[in-house]
């Protein structure tokens, strides 16, 4: 889940200086999560991930353990949903629901100050019962999902995919910990009720000049796992200001670091600016999974990420309060209900 960076913080841009990448690496996860993984091979993969996080903020993961048939099934269900008439999708519009789930139409989310995004979205999160204490207390990142009616198999397939993404994210958190040099299990109790969302996204077909589907932004959670179709369009910005293509590679997910992990690591891990720039005229689909920590987690500079010459860049923050603040700023329906401005 993203936050607009149209007016970047100059201190942050200074810290990004030197991340002048021209390509995004592919990292094989098999030695870390496969049946033959050892502590030595896990550390080697973690070091490779850590280097990518520090130098780029983006990498691909291969041999991630998610069955290709399951991914294909999720793609098919996403297309079934977006093929529904608009009135059916609007039955579960996000503005009608008590938490941050459901449907958003084209132009209803704005990640760049100049123009609304050209996409429609269906959002789900961690499935929790209506009597969940956090949901009852009004925390919009928790509670039950709301599903489209009369779409057999959709709920089961999409939530199964969500669960697989959650499990893979937890593996990546452990590898992040090894890369940083802290206890491998450090994040475990901070992501056992994660503010994690899966977005199904459709970018409409268009004619003429290339179109910005999502404006320049950085994601505000800890990490993003992205499945993208063959149309491409994802681009990451390096320190020189160049947009570097992050094209689809069969059998991989794209991983990128979000603002919350950048805060935790004192910008040791880069939350890199990126966008979707649809250079084809085709309809485009993507499935980003945004994984954050538990709402009440105190995010404070981690060990090995600061020094006397490099003090913490950010004050301590409660993860959920930061996240909801960003939602208020980038979603039109939140500005109506919360009174927040852009």
């Amino acid at each position: 889940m993203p936050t607009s960076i149209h007016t970047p913080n100059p201190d942050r841009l200074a810290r990004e200086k030197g991340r002048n990448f021209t390509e995004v690496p592919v990292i094989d996860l098999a030695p870390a999560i496969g049946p033959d993984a050892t502590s030595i091979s896990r550390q080697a993969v973690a070091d490779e991930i850590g280097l990518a996080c520090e130098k780029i903020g983006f990498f691909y993961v291969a041999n991630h353990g998610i069955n290709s048939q399951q991914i294909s099934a999720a793609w098919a269900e996403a297309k079934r949903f977006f093929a529904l008439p608009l009135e059916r999708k609007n039955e579960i519009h996000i503005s009608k629901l008590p938490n941050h789930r459901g449907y958003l139409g084209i132009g209803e989310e704005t990640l760049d100050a100049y123009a609304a995004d050209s996409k429609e979205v269906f959002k789900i999160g961690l499935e929790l019962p209506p009597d969940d204490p956090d949901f009852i207390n009004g925390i919009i990142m928790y509670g039950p999902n709301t599903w489209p009616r009369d779409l057999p198999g959709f709920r089961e397939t999409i939530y199964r995919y969500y669960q697989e993404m959650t499990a893979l994210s937890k593996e990546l958190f452990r590898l992040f910990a090894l890369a940083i040099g802290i206890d491998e299990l450090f994040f475990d109790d901070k992501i056992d009720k994660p503010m994690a969302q899966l977005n199904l996204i459709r970018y409409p077909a268009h004619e003429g000049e290339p179109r910005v589907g999502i404006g320049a932004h950085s994601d505000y959670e800890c990490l993003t796992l992205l499945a993208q179709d063959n149309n491409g369009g994802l681009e990451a910005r390096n320190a020189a200001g160049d947009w570097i293509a992050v094209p689809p590679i069969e059998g991989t997910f794209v991983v990128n670091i979000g603002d919350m992990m950048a805060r935790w690591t004192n910008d040791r891990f880069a939350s890199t600016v990126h966008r979707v720039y649809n250079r084809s005229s085709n309809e485009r689909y993507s499935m980003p999974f945004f994984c954050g920590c538990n709402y009440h987690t105190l995010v404070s500079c981690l060990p090995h990420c600061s020094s006397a010459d490099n003090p913490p860049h950010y004050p301590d923050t409660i993860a959920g309060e930061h996240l909801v603040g960003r939602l208020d700023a980038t979603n039109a329906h939140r500005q109506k209900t919360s009174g927040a401005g852009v």
Side-chain angles (χ1 to χ4, degrees), residues 89-105 108 121 123 197 327 331 333-334 337:
K89 291 180 283 191
N90 275 331
E91 288 176 355
I92 53 171
H93 193 277
I94 199 167
S95 64
K96 300 176 181 178
L97 305 178
N99 52 4
H100 193 66
R101 315 281 170 92
Y103 175 73
L104 268 174
E108 293 188 275
V121 187
K123 300 173 181 280
Q197 284 207 323
L327 292 176
N331 288 266
H333 76 281
R334 290 293 303 161
T337 59

Side-chain angles (χ1 to χ4, degrees), residues 66-109:
I66 311 299
N67 187 290
S68 61
Q69 293 179 336
Q70 191 167 347
I71 300 169
S72 296
W75 281 126
E77 293 300 330
K79 292 178 181 180
R80 284 180 71 207
F81 172 79
F82 288 118
L84 292 173
L86 181 59
E87 59 268 23
R88 282 278 306 280
K89 291 180 283 191
N90 275 331
E91 288 176 355
I92 53 171
H93 193 277
I94 199 167
S95 64
K96 300 176 181 178
L97 305 178
N99 52 4
H100 193 66
R101 315 281 170 92
Y103 175 73
L104 268 174
I106 293 171
E108 293 188 275
E109 191 171 39

Side-chain angles (χ1 to χ4, degrees), residues 5 215-217 235-238 241-245 273-275 279:
I5 49 76
H217 67 280
E235 299 176 342
R237 193 175 73 190
N238 66 16
D242 299 324
W243 289 103
I244 306 302
V273 175
H274 53 285
R275 68 181 183 182
R279 298 180 183 279

